[in-house]
Amino acid sequence: MSGTGIGARVLRKEDFRFITGKGQYTDDVNRYGQAHAVFLRSPHAHAEIRSIKLDAARAMPGVVDIFTGDDLAADKIGGLICGWMIHSKDGSPMKAGAHPALAQGKVRYVGDHVAVVIAETQAQARDAIEKIEVDYKVLSPVVAMADAVKKGAPVIHDVASDNTVYNWSLGDEAGTQAAFAKAAHVTKLDIVNNRLVPNPMEPRAAVGDYDSGTGGFTLYTTSQNPHVARLVLSAFIGIAPEHKLRVIAPDVGGGFGSKIFIYAEETVCVWAAKKVGRPVKWVADRTEAFLSDAHGRDHVTHAEMALDASGKILGLRVKTQANLGAYLSTFSSCVPTYLYAPLLSGQYDIPAIYVEVDGIYTNTAPVDAYRGAGRPEATFVIERMVEVAARELKQDPAAFRRKNFVRSFPHQTPVIMCYDAGDYDAAMTKALEMSDYKNIGARKAASAKKGLLRGIGFSAYIEACGIAPSAAVGSLGAGVGLWESAEVRVNPVGTVEILTGSHSHGQGHETTFAQLVSERLGIPIDNVAIVHGDTDKVQMGMGTYGSRSGAVGMSAISKALDKIEAKAKKVAGFVLEASPDDIEFKDGKFSVRGTDKEIDFGSVALQAYIAHKFNGQELEPGLKESAFWDPTNFTFPAGVHICELEIDPATGVTRIDRWTAVDDFGNVINPMIVEGQVHGGIAQGVGQALLEGAVYDASGQLVTASYMDYSMPRAGDLPSYDVGMTQTACPSNPLGIKGCGEAGAIAAPPAVMNAITDAIGHEGIAMPATPLAVWRAVQKTAPRAAAE
Amino acid sequence: MYPFNYHRPSSLADAVKLAGGDEAKIMAGGMTLLPTMKQRLAAPSDLVDLNALGLSGIAVAGGKVTIGAMTRHADVAGSAELKKAIPALAEMAGMIGDPMVRHRGTIGGSVANDDPAADYPSACLALGATIVTNTREIAADDFFVGLFETALQPGEIITKIIFPVPDKANYQKFRNPASRYAIVGVFVAKFAAGVRVAVTGAGSGGVFRQFDFEEALSKDFSVKAIEGIKQSADGLNSDIHADADYRAHLIGVMARRAVEAAK
Amino acid sequence: MASVTLTVNGKSVTRDVDPRTLLVEFLREQLRMTGTHVGCDTTQCGCCTVHVNGEAMKSCTLLAVAVNGATITTIEGLAKGEDLHPMQAAFREHHGLQCGFCTPGMIMSAVDMVRRKGTDLDDKTIREELEGNICRCTGYHNIVKAIHYGAEAMGKAGTAAE
């Protein structure tokens, strides 16, 4: 195969339109006659709505119409849903409060949707919004989880009188207790996983359109999974049946999880398009994004690890409170449960694990999946725990990890997961070499000479990707199957269109998916087009998140290509007058085994459509196949990241000096794109560790509601990354792919915090380790060094 | 933004007339004003754009640097003459915002706005600059009154700022990791007559002079001279990025680094 | 309403607009040139960067009326037909973009960086000069690389002086 197949560093096919300004994002879509929607958002974290007066606003110039929750209710438009049922340990179902797209009677966080003004221009809609008079009865808010679960705390949803969504558990409590009973040493740690705001650079947007001639709705929206959006909007919210609702997610400017969910704004836009008889467009500004995009993380955890005298881990006990915000977002319930606890075994052979997770309502924005979703939180717990345990036992952190690594596969953990393949030692060995670990002592001494504190931190992460076997997740409460679909359409001239349910919003599917097809069919990559993001074109799909597009989406394509090959062999058999069993397909050519008779792929395609060489009873004309791939297991990317940094004790400023990443993603389609995913993930993980944190004040106002206060990682905050790979093929899918999209974000935070705590000599610092936090922490143990 | 009437006067006299209106606002670079208006936190009836007035340029003569009010930060940062005369001032201008903001933002706009975390006020104060308006000359010591508050009268327009050339000076900025404004910025300037130290970003009343440092440095311009002097946290800002104690500490660190780097 | 005349990518355009129209709105809504993006409200993300009279500026913080008469270059004006500007080509060659949303601003900033800092740019300079551009996808590693090689290519192609 030429340089465009599997494993080649093929430049991205999609780039031309992006670098020339020709990308088509949702805000670039303008429908004839469109009006503009602006949402009135609650200024209060918790309040009853006594009344809403609209007359003055209606009289404002350009106003087309104004709607409130009553209008949605009158049209029997359902509320937003949470699609994963979690049961508490007592067997009771999670307590899901109603989540109307526009508030009905009560608002529950600052930014909650109260009303929508639709006007000729966005400016006019904004002008009118200010004229709406809402009479609020302000209620006491609960902002911190600790306050939410106090007796007598204000109740956010009547269905959850203790503001608790569920008290969930996983693992063997008694067995874990027994492990602790025989421990020679117990390591304990209190851990906070800070709340993050995803911040894709493209703010969310939606354009709703209604065709009164056909009764069909069209929604253009910034979605990672347009088919899921259609399913929810149709089956649960009740906009229209699926065949009357087309959802298009055109170019999408990053998602990181936050564009998985079905939000109030797109619901209202598509519904309102029919109400006002015009297309309705909404585009978030950045502050709206901060207020109303689903946030990520926000855990408070106490963890304990039981160890024997040699440093072998005997057991792990974890108790976590997870902040779910004011409403349950689309997949929020599964993030701190099934995407979290099953990863707490890390790369280690831990005989007993017991985890309890309480999901808590607070008067804050909903919290849901953000890059890694549960797995970064789990990795942070286990990787901080092993680092601290190694320190307490005075063992080298790398050696300590090696001692506890899982070494044979498949490996069944005590928390659901069965790791199918990996070689954790190999990644550690390579990372130690690349990072020049053996000379860290000299580098620390050199830094000390300059008055700087140097630290090194490890993170041997594992994640579960390729989400996920449908029946398995179904048994755990998922409301959907998590397969993927593909359709391969071969045109008569031999060019190919791939229709996929995966969605690309930066991942480069138009290139990697085409590489697979180019390799398999032996055709130039330019002859392959990837079609995605339109429910009218692609029949069904589950979208892109959880590093699933390679492992699941491409597996579906691979399966459909198998069918194409089989059918094409039959066509070639007729053309070459041989049995299909004697036809070989290689490098784009069909040949009769043992002869020099051959025909290329394009000619077979043409023959399939001309259909002169066979009759319809023998073989159907055409060359088009589809497939659904339902994974047989999760995939388990793993690796070792090493962060080395310097702290200026005088200012608390941390500078990352070196970053070593060694990842095992199984087979790799395009190393250039995979490395790019790793880079981006690390940057988000470093952002979490050093810079980012959503802060609400006691009244529930979001203090960090713009880039003036929320620190986004900039180029100058980050190092270059030294990225290497090891490889164990994934046995659970036909391509041997594990997935790479979240690895960096999962690996990075504990690597940074292990390095910082190494540098400062104690564990008393939480993320984000801002200069202020580091300066304070340095002072706690080293007053002399800090005085400068 | 709320609607407004836009004016682009071509003479200072017209600008002054227009700017005198009750609800009028003056726009120089607009780098602070426009974001404020976009967030609907300002609602001028009339916007008076100074960009057609000229008022830009840098001149060095007689131990003084004169910078026109509409001179962009990028031009201040890049001026070869200024780099020779007061390198610290050029360097400081190069630390404002980002390259795109520096192409548009102006010295006059920054000084007139007197953002408590802006850089220029500290330079003006430490260098003992004279702020020249359409009606008078105001010493920097009298100009910066409080948060976003200056001695400017309604309708009064800064035309230029005159900086005495010091023997040595330096500006050290500790950036807010999000906004990149100064959490603490310390401008140190050494003149034959003494040393002036101005602190921006930290004070709850805006930019201020650190007289203890000035006194010590005037006697002995060395890091050692101020090592033992503690900056009080009283009256300093506290926010999620830096509390008052931290700011107090940083003022000392930045001042020492400025003394060390002064040239 | 105010009449605004601009030369955008070599073409003179005149529109009557509300004075509160930002340059980015003028480009996106009046001219339907949607390559220039809006990613924040506080003049920080840099997605809206264009060249005004040859200098990079944030078009979200400029009134269209205030730059009346100016020459504007947007991302749509960099390539000559199918021939990419060296900086565009470098972003593609070095995988300096993922979702593409910040990319137009990044490229416009990078071209301006070369104008100001020359064609031999080290990593430290590039990272400092990217102060005003935020990317959430790439972790900047490949953007820095792309700008380094893009600058070099501009030097060779003689586009740096343009």
Side-chain angles (χ1 to χ4, degrees), chain C residues 6-7 9 23 42 49 53 103-104 107 109 112 119 121 144 150 152:
Chain C
L6 300 171
T7 302
N9 299 331
L23 177 58
T42 49
T49 302
N53 296 329
T103 309
I107 292 175
S109 264
D112 185 67
T119 56
L121 296 173
V144 173
E152 202 177 87

Side-chain angles (χ1 to χ4, degrees), chain A residues 301-304 316-320 340 344 354-356 381:
Chain A
T301 294
H302 177 75
E304 299 185 355
L316 181 69
R317 198 152 54 192
V318 176
K319 167 87 193 180
T320 293
Y340 168 67
L344 281 167
Y354 180 65
V355 190
E356 288 184 343
V381 170

Side-chain angles (χ1 to χ4, degrees), chain A residues 122-124 126-127 130 287 648-653 691 693 695 703-704 706-714 717 770-772 775-776 779 786-788, chain B residues 1-3 38-40 98 115 174-181 183 223 227 239-250 252-254 256-257 260:
Chain A
Q122 197 190 45
Q124 288 173 329
R126 279 188 205 283
D127 293 341
E130 296 181 359
T287 291
D648 178 354
T651 58
V653 169
L691 294 160
V695 177
V703 177
T704 51
S706 81
Y707 293 152
M708 293 297 281
D709 296 299
Y710 188 92
S711 308
M712 289 287 279
R714 289 174 168 83
D717 298 320
T770 60
L772 170 64
W775 177 72
R776 285 237 171 273
Q779 288 200 313
E788 200 208 52
Chain B
M1 264 187 257
Y2 295 106
K38 279 161 65 179
Q39 288 171 72
R40 299 189 162 221
D98 57 55
D115 186 309
F174 193 87
R175 287 180 173 80
N176 178 313
S179 71
R180 307 293 164 132
Y181 274 85
I183 276 181
V223 172
E227 243 165 19
D239 55 42
I240 58 169
H241 301 289
D243 57 25
D245 285 343
Y246 183 50
R247 278 194 163 89
H249 169 77
L250 285 175
V253 177
M254 293 299 119
R256 290 193 290 276
R257 289 183 180 178
E260 204 163 29

